[in-house]
Amino acid sequence: MTYSVFSLLKNAVTGHKNWAPAWRDPAPKPAYDVIIVGGGGHGLATAYYLAKVHGITNVAVLEKSWLGSGNIGRNTTIIRSNYLFPGNNPFYEWSMKLWEGLEQDFNFNAMVSQRGVLNLYHSDAQRDAYARRGNAMHMHGVDAELLDEQGVRDMYPFFNFDDARFPIRGGLLQRRGGTVRHDAVAWGYARGADSRGVDVIQNCEVTGIRIEKGVVKGVETNRGYIACNKLGLAAAGNSSEVAKMAGLKLPIESHVLQAFVSEAIKPFIDGVVTYGAGHFYVSQSDKGGLVFGGDIDGYNSYARRGNLPTVEHVIEAGVSMIPAISRVRVLRSWGGIMDMSMDGSPIIDKTDVKGLYLNAGWCYGGFKATPASGWCFAHTIAKDEAHKLSAAYRLDRFKRGFAIDEKGMGAQPNLH
Amino acid sequence: MTSFRLPTGGLVDRNTTLRFQFDAKSFTGHAGDSLASALLANGVSLMGRSFKYHRPRGAVTGGSAEPNALVELRTGARREPNTRATMVELFEGLEAKSQNRWPSLEFDVGAINQLASPLLVAGFYYKTFMWPKAFWEKIYEPLIRRAAGLGSAVHAPDPDSYEKIYGHCDLLVIGGGAAGLMAALTAGRAGARVMIADEHARLGGALLGENETINGKPSIQWVQEALAELASMKEVTILPRTTVFGWFDGNIYGALERVNDHVATPPEYEPRQRYWRIAAKAAILATGAEERPLVFGNNDRPGVMQASAMRGLANRYGVAAGKSVVVFTNNHSGYATARDLTAAGVNVAALIDSRANAPKLNAGKVPVLKGAVVSDVEGSRNVKSVRVVNADGGVEEIACDAVAMSGGFSPVVHLSCHRGLKPVWNEKLAAFLPPDTGKELVAAGAAAGNMTLAAALADGAEKAAKLLTALGFKPKTAKPPQADGEPYAVSPLWSVQSQHKAFVDFQNDVTAKDLPLAAREGYKDVELAKRYTTLGMATDQGKLSNVNGIALLAGATGKSIAQVGTTTFRPNYTPVSFGAFAGPFTGHHFNPVRKTPMHAWAEEQGAVFVEAGLWYRPQWFPRAGEKGWLESVTREVLAARNSVGVCDVSTLGKIDIQGPDAGEFLNRVYCNGWSTLEVGKARYGLMLREDGVVFDDGTTSRLGPDHFFMTTTTANAARVLTHLEFCHQALWPELDVQYVSVTEQWGQMAIAGPKARATLQKLVDGITLNDETFPYMAARPVQIMGGIPARLFRISFSGEHAYELSVPADYADAVIRAVMHAGAEFNITPYGTEALSVMRIEKGHVAGGELNGNTTAADLGLGRMMSTKKDYIGRMMATREGMTRADREVFVGIRPIGQGQKLSAGAHILNVGDKVSLEADQGYITAVAYSPMLESWIGLALVQRGNKRHGEKVRVFDGLRGQHYDAELCDPVHFDPENRRLHV
Amino acid sequence: MRIHCPYCGERPAEEFTFQGDADVRRPQGNEPSQMDEWFDYVYLRENPRGRMKEYWHHSGGCRSWLIVERDTDSHEVFGVTAARERKLSPQRKRAS
Amino acid sequence: MSDQAQLRRIHTLGKHYVPGRYGKPVATPGIRISMVHPVSIVSIITRAGKTKLLDAAMLSKFGAELPHPGGTMQGRAVTFYWCGAEQYFAVATGMAEGALYDALRQAAGDLASFSDQSHARMMLKVEGPAARKLLAKGTPVDLHPNIFPEDGSAVTQMAHVGVHLAADGPNGFVLSVFRGFGESFWEWLTSQAAEFGYEVR
C-alpha cells in the first residue's frame, strides 16, 4: 500500500484499522545468498539497493535488537557533502544526490530538509582551510559559498558578534546541506527492502561467523545457524567485536558521542550551524527542539552515555556562539557509539576472507553517508569489487600509507 | 470549572498580597503560592494549548512533572519559554504569557486541528507531504515549523549570570520528603557530611500537601523540627530549589540550584542559578512517587487533575480546584482526596473506585461507587459532568466541575536508570521499581515502593544507616517516628472504553488508540512505538504517560508489561538551562586570555591584536593616515629589511630539558641528530608523529652539557610537552631526563634587520657583537642593561641578520622599551605576526599552513633531516609506500602571472588546459603575501611533484571566490636565496 | 567518572586526557621485515567491549601518564598505575 | 646589578591590581586576596635514583627535606611544595634575582634539574571564612579541613587554567598560575568572590 495523502484519507475513514505493517517480522530461513549483519541505516540501505539496483533479493538483514536501534536512531540528523579530499568528496556528494530523491524513491517522508549547513570560521587560518575545502567542492560541482562576517550576520544576526572570545569572521555555507528525520530513514529503507522480499529479522544477534578454508559459510545467531554465500558486516558501534568473530582486528576505537535536544520552542534558528572556536553544532528539528552536540567524550566506550565535563564543554561553546540560548532549557542528552577510525574516514572493502565484506569506521559522520554507503556496499557485495566512489575506503590503506585524514590529526582515533 | 481560594488553610502567607499578570490580565496571590495555584485561586483554569491538537489545557499536577501549564515567564531578555506554572514561585510584579496559541489562549485558530484529528493520527506525516517534491521546503515544512514548538525564546543575550561549583559529601540525599529527611537526620546525627537537595522552595515533599500526623503532630510540624535540627548541624548542607538532574560515573551527580528564580531579578553580585557537580561517597534516592493519570474520554480537560495534586492545592495552597469534585481512583490514595476536600468545605459529589472488591475505606460522607469507571468527561474549556459506567453496566451522569484521578503511583526511578540499568516491574504495586544500583545509590521511601508514610520514614532511616555503616560511621538506629495513615493497595486500570479521545501523553496529544496503531504497523518494540507516536518525547519526558503507554502497548502486542519494558531514562530529570551548564564561561570568558609580558607596551604602540591559540599577539601596528592593514604591514617589512624591526615572540613554547640522557631523549623525539650540537649553539629540529607525518618544528639550543632549551610553535606548545611526557614516561622510563615548561618565565623578542646588531650592542654588557663572538645560531646567556640576566640567540625566521633576546618576564616591558630607545636612531619599528608572515613566506620557511598534519619531512623539502642512524618517533611509518610515492604534493613557491594579479590561499592548482575536476587537482596554495621586496604577490603551495616543476605555468582555481588566474611555480625561497642577509 | 591518580588521589575525569589503548608495545628496531609489527602497534586496536588498559594523562594535575584499567561498557575503573612504574610486560602477540 | 635596581619587577596584573574593598558590601569581607610578589620560585625535578641524596642536600642547605606527594615542607627561608612525581617548587621571598636558583644548584647541582620559574607564575594568597567555598567554584579538589591537610599541596585546574594550590594557615591558601593567564584568572576569581565581599590587600 503506497503512502500518500489519498491512502491517509482512505484509512482515516476506517479509523486506520487497515494499515498493513510497514515490514514483516519473518523468522530466519536456513540460508540466504547474502546476509547483512546490522539492521541500522547502512545495513538496511545496503539490502534495499541490493534488491532495487542489483536484483538480489534472497537477502537477510540480522538486527540484534529492534531495527534502527543503533546510531541511525540516535544522531543529530545532519546531511552535507562539504568534504575536502578526492577520496571523500565524490562519495558524500553522491549521498546528497540520493538524499534529494530518497522520499519519492522509497515512498516514505523522511523529511529531507535542505535548509543549509554553515561552518563558522574565526581566523585567517580557518578561512584559508575552508577556502581550500570550498574550492575542492566546487571542483566536483558541489555547491559552496564563503561568507564573510556580514554574510553570517545577515543569516543569523543573534549570534555573538560583539563580545566573542574568538570573533566570528565568516563561514563556509553549503545551502544543499540540512537535516533528515533519522528514524524515518531506517523505517523507509526497511519497508522498501521488505517489500522487495528482503527478510528484515529483528532480535537476531550474530554470535559467531563460520569460515572454512578462508571462505565465509554462515553465521551463528541466538536463533540458530544461518548459511550464506556472502556476508556483509555493517554493525557500526560494534564493528570490532563482530569483526573479531572472523579473526579481523580493525584500525578502530569505539567512542561515545553525546548529543542533546532542548525543550521544543517556536522557530529560533533556521539551518545547521557549526562553531569554529569550540565543539558545538546545532539545528532546530521540525518539532521545535534545538538538536545539538559537540565533541566525543574522548575515552573508549560502548555505554551509549557520556559524562558531565563534555556536556559543559559543548554548552559553554554553544552559549558563547549564541548568547540568546542561555535561558532555553536542555531537555535530554543521549549517547551513541562512534567507530572512530585511525584517519577519520570509513572502510567499505572486501577482506582476506572470501565472501566477507566490511563496512565500518564511520566516526560521527555515518548518518549523512547512509544512502551512498548502502549503494556502494551493495555494489561491493554484488560485484565482489569496490565501487568507484568508495575505492579509497580500503582496509589496508593504513598499512600502505594512504590515510584519508581530513583533520590531519594522525593515528589517534579520538582526535578525528 | 470555577476554582477558588478557600477561606482558610494552606501554607500560603495570607497577609501578603503579590500582584501578577497572566496574558496581560492582572491578578493577586499570596507569598507561598505557585503561579498555577494563584491562577486557580482567581478562577483561571485554562493555562495552555496542547502541541498537535491545540486542545485547551490546565494544570494536571502540583509539581515538576507538569505537561500542560507551561508559560513564557518574564519579559524582554529574561523571557523563559516552557516554564512550568506549577513550579514558579509567585513574586511581586510577575508577568507570564500563555504559549502555542494564536491570536489568544481562549480563541486559538490552531484548535481547528481537532477537526482534522482523524487524519492527524500518530505518524501521519511519514505518509504524506511527499508530493510535489519542491513543496516540502517551500510550503509544508515552514507551516509545520511555525506550528511546532510551544513557547518562543528571545533572540537577546541573557542579562543574568550563572555559577558552577563542586560539592563533596559522604551522603547525598536526593529529595527532602519523609524518607529523605529521615536519611539526612540519621547521617547528620552520625557526624557524616550530608547534602540534602529538594526541587521545591520548601523541604517536606509530599508532606506539604498531605493531612497526616507524625508522632501525633501534624506532619508539617515534624518537617519544621527536622529542618531545624539539620540546620544546626555544621556538616549538613540543605539545598532547597535544587534539582539533582543526573547521575553520572564515579557517583557524581549534576544538580541545578535555582538561586534567584523566585525573585524578579537576581540581587547584585548573585547568580541566577548555580550548577553543582557533587561527588558523593553514597546517595539516597528519596524522590517519592509520581501519581499516574487514568486514561478515559476527555481526561485532558482543564479541571481534571491528579488526586494528590488536588488535595495538595487545598492543603498547601488553600485553593479548591472546583465547587463540586468527582474522585476517580483505582487505589486507596483517592480516599484521602475525598476526605481532605470535604474537610476544606468542598463538595465531593462521588468517589468512583474501579475496584469491585475494594475494601471499606474512609471517604467520610462521600458516596463511593465500587467497580465503576468514569468513561468520559463532558465539557470542552472546563468540566461540566462525568459519564460514569457502573459495575452493572448502567450509565449515569454526575455533574461536577473538577475530577481528581489516581491511576496508582510510579516510583521516581529516573536517576537510578541514568547509567544503563533498567527499572524492574513489580506486579503487586503495578509499578516499575529502581534497579539494584549497589552501594553508590540506594532508593528509599516511596521511590523504593514504600507507599505509606510510616514505611517511608522507617525506610529512609534504615537505608541511610546501612550506607553509613559501610562508610565507617556508627549511626544510632533510633525507633522511627510513628505515623498513622492508610495502607496502600492498587489494582491496575490501564484504560477505559470511552466515547471521546482518551489521552496518554497530554503534551504530545498521544491518545489510547495511537499505541495499537503503532503495533499494527510493525512499530512493536517500546522504543519504536515511542518514536512513531512521540509518546514520552515532550518536555515532561513521559513522567505521567510512559507507564500507561507501555501497558497499552503490552495489550496491543500480547506481551506482559515486564516484557515490553521501559524506554531509556536519560538526564536531565527536569530540563536545565544552557546558561547553568555554561556558568561564567561564555562570551569573552569562553576561554581564558593569555597575554605576553609586553602586551601593555604593544597596546601603547597601537597594536591590532589577533588570537593565537589562547594568546593575543600584535598582528600589525597601524599608524595614522595608513589606508588599511596592507600599508601598515608593508611599512613594517621594509623597516625590518632595511633597518631594524622588533617583534614579540614570547608565545613560542619553551621547554627546559636537562639530565644525563637529555641529548639521547632529543635524538629519539626529533628526526634529526643532536649529539654533535655544541654548548652555546642552536639547531633547527623537526619532530614527527609516530605515523611518520611532521608534527612540529623549532630551534633547540644547548646551554650546558646536559641542559637544552627547546622552542616549539605557539599552536603546539602544550601538545609537544604532553608528547615529551608520553615518550619519556610510557616509552622510555629508563632515560634520566627532566623537562619542564619555562614558556612564561621568559619574555622573548626578535630584533631583525641590518641595524639589529648595532641596536643590541647598546644593551649587551661585556661583549662586542660580531661574527666571531656571536656567530649565526649562537645561543648563550648574556647580561644586559647593567645586570639583567638574559639569553641571546642568533636565529632568524625573517631571513634577516637577527637575534632573539630573552629576559625574565617581569623585566620584558622595561627591556623592549630600552630596545626601542636603542634603535630609535635607526627608526626601529615594531612588527606584528602579519609582517613576520610576509618575511617567512619571502624566505620560504614552513609554518602552520604547511605543517597541515598530512605533510612528511620530504614533502616540505626537509627529507635530508631524517636521520638513518638512530631510532626516533615516526621513522618506520615514514617509509611506507604511500608516504614516499613520487606524486605526493610537495612544498613549492608560486607567483602570479600578470601585473597586479593577487594570489589567494586555499585556491587549488590545475595543469593549464585541464578540465576542472577533483581528479585533475594538482594541489593548493597554503600561504600568500604581498612582498614589498619583490613588489608582487607571492605564495607557497603544496603541488604534485612541485619541486620538479619550478618555472612551470599553472592554472589557479578559486571558484569559491569567483576567480581563476595563471601563475608560475618557483623556488619557495622568493627573496635572497643565498641568505646573504643572514650573515652580513 | 573519577580516576584515582597514584600521586594526587581521586580526581574527576575533566582533569585527565585520554589517549588510547595502553596494551600496545612500541616495537624495537626499524627493519622492513617488522612492518606488520609496527602496523599493529600504530594502527590496529583490540577495542574490547569490556575491560581494557588505557593511557590517560593527568593533564589538569601532576602531568603523570597513567595506565587505567577500565570497563568500556560500565565505565567502572578497576585500577590505576603510573606508566613510569610499569614493568614493561613481554612483547604482546599480534592478533592471530 | 645597579641599573636593575631601578628596574623593578613588574607583576603581570600591573594596573589591574588595586587594593580596596569590592563586591557585596558586608561588614567583614568573606575573602582577602593579596599578591605574593616579587617572589623566587625554582622548579626541582629529582634525577634518577637521587631522591635520598637530594633530601639530604636540601636538609643540610635549607633545613628541610622535600615533601611527600601532596605535601609541603617549611625550610629556612624557603618552602618546598610538592607539584608532581619527584617534582617540587622551591619558593622564597626577599632574595635577589637568581639567588635561590644558584643556591639550589650549588647545593645539589647533579642530584636534580632546576629551572628558575620566578617570573613564570602569578602567586596569590586567598584567605577568609569563604575561601573554601570560593575555591570550590573552580577546583574539584575537596578542600574541607578534615580532608585537605594543613600542609596540603595540590596541582589542579580552575576555570580552564592550571593552578598549583597549597594550604597557608587555617583558612588560607596560596595559589599560582602561569603569569600569562594572570589577568584572566584574576577576573574570574574576583567575579566569583563578589557575592562574599572581598578585600584586595
Side-chain angles (χ1 to χ4, degrees), chain B residues 2-176:
Chain B
T2 42
S3 54
F4 58 95
R5 182 79 72 184
L6 291 163
T8 61
L11 307 176
V12 293
D13 179 354
R14 289 171 182 262
N15 318 339
T16 63
T17 305
L18 300 175
R19 289 185 303 268
F20 69 98
Q21 282 192 347
F22 180 58
D23 279 353
K25 284 203 285 306
S26 296
F27 302 97
T28 61
H30 298 301
D33 260 328
S34 70
L35 173 59
S37 66
L39 285 170
L40 288 167
N42 286 277
V44 174
S45 61
L46 174 60
M47 298 183 194
R49 290 279 171 168
S50 68
F51 192 87
K52 182 160 76 169
Y53 297 130
H54 284 250
R55 287 173 65 104
R57 290 287 172 73
V60 70
T61 73
S64 61
E66 181 56 42
N68 294 332
L70 306 181
V71 298
E72 281 173 10
L73 186 67
R74 294 190 173 87
T75 56
R78 287 198 166 84
R79 187 169 77 210
E80 293 165 49
N82 304 337
T83 305
R84 291 151 182 72
T86 47
M87 289 297 284
V88 173
E89 289 171 68
L90 202 63
F91 54 83
E92 177 62 27
L94 179 149
E95 284 178 74
K97 257 175 57 200
S98 58
Q99 302 183 148
N100 193 30
R101 75 307 184 263
W102 185 82
S104 75
L105 189 55
E106 283 71 28
F107 308 104
D108 178 14
V109 168
I112 56 164
N113 288 2
Q114 291 164 57
L115 301 179
S117 64
L119 262 175
L120 309 180
V121 288
F124 76 94
Y125 34 80
Y126 295 121
K127 299 179 173 118
T128 180
F129 302 131
M130 287 183 277
W131 180 83
K133 202 167 98 159
F135 271 32
W136 173 254
E137 263 101 1
K138 290 197 177 53
I139 295 170
Y140 299 136
E141 190 180 38
L143 276 177
I144 291 171
R145 287 175 79 83
R146 232 192 315 283
L150 296 165
S152 64
V154 70
H155 277 100
D158 186 349
D160 290 337
S161 68
Y162 299 81
E163 237 178 52
K164 298 190 179 192
I165 190 163
Y166 285 98
H168 306 268
C169 59
D170 297 316
L171 187 70
L172 169 66
V173 177
I174 303 160

Side-chain angles (χ1 to χ4, degrees), chain A residues 16 73 100 104 113-114 132 163 165 264 266 286 304-305 307 312 316 326-327 329-330 332 398 400, chain B residues 81-82 118 130 133 137 141 151 158 164 249 275 520 531 541 570 576 579 588 614 880 882 908:
Chain A
H16 299 286
E100 286 170 336
Q104 287 65 32
S113 307
Q114 296 177 275
R132 178 186 175 197
D163 168 40
R165 174 70 178 78
K266 288 300 175 193
D286 282 351
R304 286 188 178 173
R305 60 182 175 81
N307 279 294
E312 295 172 47
E316 282 169 16
S326 174
R327 297 181 88 87
R329 283 184 277 266
V330 182
R332 183 178 174 86
F398 301 103
R400 294 170 36 249
Chain B
N82 304 337
M130 287 183 277
K133 202 167 98 159
E137 263 101 1
E141 190 180 38
D158 186 349
K164 298 190 179 192
D249 294 319
Y275 158 57
R520 191 175 314 132
R531 291 149 188 266
Q541 289 288 285
R570 293 284 195 184
V576 176
H588 193 75
L614 295 179
R880 289 173 293 165
H908 284 239

